[in-house]
């Protein structure tokens, strides 16, 4: 009975909202659910800007960080850091009751798999929960427009950081350490060793810099096999690590988006990826390791 009532009310509210929008009394509202680490926050911000550029009223739901703010196992902390790294970004959030209303009655339906609904097909307000994909060309343009590493905050303790000859290695562990995640895939422990061996053969690394949510694991399972100097970053905020990784001329990416986003922030960088179905293959200066 409850579900039936919600379906009826959803139809009524969406019908009224559609009338108000097509008569230009109000603009359609797009609410974007935001969760996860700094890269997820960046990508969800772009989801909203995709619609903002088409004249929609856009708001962001960041209540996840207040109510939960951890990985799927409840261990690794996730903090809303978007404005720490990109203070020039402006966006509107919504109230608790607004969130409740739109989440219940205006949740967007997935009619085109994981792609965002086309703006021309949206004639009333929608709530975008979970993860969606922006069409490729639009994504590249939006990313370049909003996320220029030269406009990012420079971590105070790394003001004089010079990454010449450094190879940045992101080792995602935590909730992605096991199995084949449906969004990001998985990599074996040996992938990092093979990627480092490849870099030693192809380039002249000066130092390896590691970024990981499990630095002790990296120390005991990867660094103990290294002949080159290395450093493991500890006690940084996620956005500080992303900024540092983006300074490196060569980036070894883990599963997840952290290393790949860092490489997009530094288009001149060389990107090393695991050769699986989740790899970003449209980028130049990329090598794939089994």
């Amino acid at each position: 009975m409850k579900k039936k009532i919600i379906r009826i009310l959803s139809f009524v509210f969406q019908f009224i909202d559609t009338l108000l929008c097509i008569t230009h009394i109000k603009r359609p509202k797009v609410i974007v659910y935001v969760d996860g680490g700094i890269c997820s926050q960046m990508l969800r911000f772009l989801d909203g800007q995709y619609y903002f550029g088409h004249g929609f009223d856009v708001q962001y739901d960041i209540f996840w960080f207040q109510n939960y703010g951890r990985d799927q196992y409840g261990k690794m902390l996730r903090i809303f850091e978007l404005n720490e790294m990109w203070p020039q970004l402006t966006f509107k959030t919504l109230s608790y009751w607004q969130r409740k209303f739109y989440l219940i009655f205006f949740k967007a339906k997935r009619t085109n798999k994981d792609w965002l609904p086309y703006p021309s097909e949206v004639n009333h307000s929608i709530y975008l929960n979970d993860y969606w994909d922006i069409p490729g060309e639009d994504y590249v343009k939006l990313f370049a427009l909003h996320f220029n590493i030269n406009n990012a905050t420079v971590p105070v303790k790394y003001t004089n950081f010079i990454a010449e000859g450094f190879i940045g290695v992101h080792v995602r562990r935590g909730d992605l350490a096991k199995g084949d995640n449906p969004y990001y895939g998985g990599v074996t422990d040996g992938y990092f060793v093979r990627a480092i061996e490849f870099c030693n053969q192809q380039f002249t690394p000066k130092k390896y810099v590691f970024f990981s949510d499990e630095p002790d694991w990296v120390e005991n399972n990867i660094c103990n096999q290294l002949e080159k100097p290395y450093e493991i970053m500890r006690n940084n905020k996620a956005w500080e690590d992303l900024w540092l990784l983006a300074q490196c001329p060569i980036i070894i990416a883990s599963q997840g988006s952290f290393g790949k986003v860092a490489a997009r922030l530094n288009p001149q960088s060389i990107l090393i990826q695991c050769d699986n179905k989740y790899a970003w293959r449209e980028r130049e200066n990329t090598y794939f390791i089994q």
Side-chain angles (χ1 to χ4, degrees):
M1 178 63 72
K2 182 179 179 181
K3 291 183 178 179
K4 185 176 181 180
I5 294 174
I6 289 176
R7 284 199 299 270
I8 294 172
L9 289 177
S10 295
F11 175 81
V12 172
F13 289 141
Q14 291 179 23
F15 178 77
I16 295 173
D17 195 83
T18 299
L19 288 179
L20 295 175
C21 291
I22 64 177
T23 54
H24 304 291
I25 295 175
K26 69 181 290 288
R27 291 189 298 170
K29 185 189 297 291
V30 173
I31 297 171
V32 181
Y33 172 78
V34 185
D35 68 358
I38 182 63
C39 293
S40 179
Q41 296 166 37
M42 290 167 62
L43 299 180
R44 300 292 73 77
F45 176 80
L46 296 184
D47 287 349
Q49 296 309 298
Y50 174 65
Y51 290 101
F52 183 79
H54 287 86
F56 289 75
D57 182 17
V58 176
Q59 290 181 289
Y60 294 90
D61 173 6
I62 60 173
F63 279 90
W64 182 85
F65 297 94
Q66 300 174 20
N67 300 329
Y68 189 65
R70 294 183 181 275
D71 66 15
Q72 61 180 323
Y73 295 146
K75 294 182 179 180
M76 303 296 179
L77 189 63
R78 301 289 185 261
I79 300 172
F80 188 72
E81 301 176 330
L82 187 63
N83 276 133
E84 290 191 61
M85 187 170 188
W86 312 97
Q88 74 277 11
L89 298 182
T90 57
F91 56 95
K92 296 189 294 183
T93 57
L94 71 169
S95 70
Y96 173 82
W97 290 110
Q98 282 180 309
R99 176 185 185 274
K100 279 290 206 183
F101 177 74
Y102 285 101
L103 177 59
I104 294 173
F105 300 115
F106 286 86
K107 187 184 294 185
K109 297 179 180 179
R110 291 185 181 270
T111 57
N112 190 21
K113 293 186 178 180
D114 292 330
W115 295 103
L116 285 170
Y118 294 117
S120 60
E121 297 175 354
V122 179
N123 56 11
H124 62 71
S125 300
I126 57 174
Y127 179 99
L128 295 169
N129 65 306
D130 208 355
Y131 294 170
W132 303 70
D133 294 325
I134 302 174
E137 292 185 2
D138 291 300
Y139 168 71
V140 172
K141 291 178 182 177
L142 285 169
F143 192 99
L145 176 64
H146 294 286
F147 300 127
N148 185 323
I149 194 63
N150 295 320
N151 294 331
T153 301
V154 178
V156 175
K157 55 187 172 182
Y158 298 116
T159 302
N160 298 317
F161 180 81
I162 299 176
E164 183 178 354
F166 286 11
I167 295 182
V169 187
H170 177 238
V171 183
R172 174 69 183 266
R173 297 282 299 168
D175 55 359
L176 295 189
K178 299 178 181 179
D180 190 23
N181 185 276
Y183 292 108
Y184 301 120
V187 298
T188 64
D189 298 348
Y191 157 73
F192 298 104
V193 176
R194 291 190 292 274
I196 289 170
E197 290 175 349
F198 173 81
C199 290
N200 288 337
Q201 295 170 3
Q202 296 292 323
F203 312 109
T204 54
K206 179 180 178 182
K207 183 179 182 180
Y208 284 92
V209 184
F210 290 89
F211 305 85
S212 179
D213 45 9
E214 294 188 20
D216 291 335
W217 186 94
V218 172
E219 179 82 50
N220 297 326
N221 293 273
I222 299 177
C223 295
N224 60 357
Q225 304 181 49
L226 278 177
E227 296 180 359
K228 297 284 185 177
Y230 69 87
E231 181 177 0
I232 302 175
M233 290 297 169
R234 300 173 185 265
N235 303 317
N236 283 341
K237 292 184 176 181
W239 75 266
E240 293 174 327
D241 277 348
L242 181 63
W243 184 91
L244 286 167
L245 185 56
Q247 308 305 310
C248 297
I250 301 173
I251 297 170
I252 297 176
S254 184
Q255 73 272 47
S257 57
F258 200 85
K260 299 166 188 175
V261 168
R264 193 175 291 282
L265 288 171
N266 182 0
Q268 287 72 45
S269 65
I270 294 171
L271 176 62
I272 313 294
Q273 296 185 74
C274 182
D275 190 7
N276 59 28
K277 63 180 179 180
Y278 302 93
W280 292 5
R281 299 188 180 275
E282 80 284 359
R283 187 184 187 276
E284 298 181 355
N285 299 326
T286 301
Y287 294 90
F288 300 95
I289 304 295
Q290 291 287 346

